[in-house]
């Protein structure tokens, strides 16, 4: 799916047509990459543009694409669909030390519709972060350590739920996608690294060595 949706094209019929095109594909659709306009637009709130079956099928497709990537979240704009919908799930097994430092615990699969988040008074945390739409890159992002997420379930039920640690990071990352924001907009640009450089030099639980040697967040040194 490569077509961009200018803001004036956020018609229910056009969004439904684009989703139907995705669902009719014989293979999994590609994840659009940075530079694609869909990633820089404020996605349309879900207001019944899809029927229940189409919405369910789109969520299932997004979950498959997320698993195939693999990743821990995927937003509809990453498939070129300008709709406020994202799926999240984190079941990866990682090093126990890294999990402890990053407050990373498993996150069961769920889908969010029309989400927004607000920070809770628990400070911030900074770690390397990547994105399926910026393939091959990572950078350190400082984010609120805890947030309250308000969203609708696919059935239309309103939910307010608090998230902490790495789960809060996933929630913020995916919700940002729905408002045209990429993690690189919030990143410490001096920390920007390729995946290979990260694996060779900075793949450790925290960011202290990367911060010293790359010269970012120096006020904490």
């Amino acid at each position: 799916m490569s077509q961009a949706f200018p803001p004036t094209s956020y018609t229910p019929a056009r969004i439904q047509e684009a989703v139907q095109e995705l669902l009719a594909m014989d293979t999994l659709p590609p994840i659009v990459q940075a530079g694609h306009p869909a990633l820089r637009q404020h996605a349309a709130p879900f207001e019944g543009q899809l029927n229940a079956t189409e919405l369910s099928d789109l969520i299932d497709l997004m979950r498959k694409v997320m698993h195939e990537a693999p990743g821990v979240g995927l937003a509809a704009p990453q498939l070129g669909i300008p709709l406020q919908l994202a799926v999240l799930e984190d079941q990866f097994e990682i090093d126990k030390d890294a999990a402890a430092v990053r407050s990373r615990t498993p996150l069961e699969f769920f889908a969010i519709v029309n989400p927004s988040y607000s920070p809770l008074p628990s400070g911030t945390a900074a770690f390397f972060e990547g994105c399926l739409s910026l393939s091959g890159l990572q950078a350190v992002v400082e984010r609120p350590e805890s947030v309250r997420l308000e969203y609708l379930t696919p059935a239309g039920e309103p939910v307010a739920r608090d998230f902490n640690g790495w789960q809060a990071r996933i929630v913020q990352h995916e919700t940002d996608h729905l408002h045209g924001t990429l993690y690189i907009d919030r990143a410490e640009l001096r920390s920007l690294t390729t995946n290979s450089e990260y694996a060779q030099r900075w793949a450790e639980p925290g960011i202290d060595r990367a911060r010293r040697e790359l010269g970012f967040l120096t006020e904490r040194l």
Side-chain angles (χ1 to χ4, degrees), residues 91-103:
Q91 299 294 333
F92 289 102
E93 292 187 11
I94 67 168
D95 176 79
K96 291 182 179 179
D97 291 338
V101 170
R102 300 172 190 174
S103 299

Side-chain angles (χ1 to χ4, degrees), residues 136-170:
L137 296 173
Q138 297 190 46
V140 169
V141 184
E142 185 170 20
R143 294 187 183 271
E145 197 162 22
S146 300
V147 296
R148 174 159 296 160
L149 182 71
E150 297 184 36
Y151 63 99
L152 299 178
T153 68
E157 301 165 342
V159 176
R161 182 177 170 188
D162 293 349
F163 293 87
N164 303 297
W166 204 260
Q167 293 186 0
R169 183 169 297 269
I170 297 171

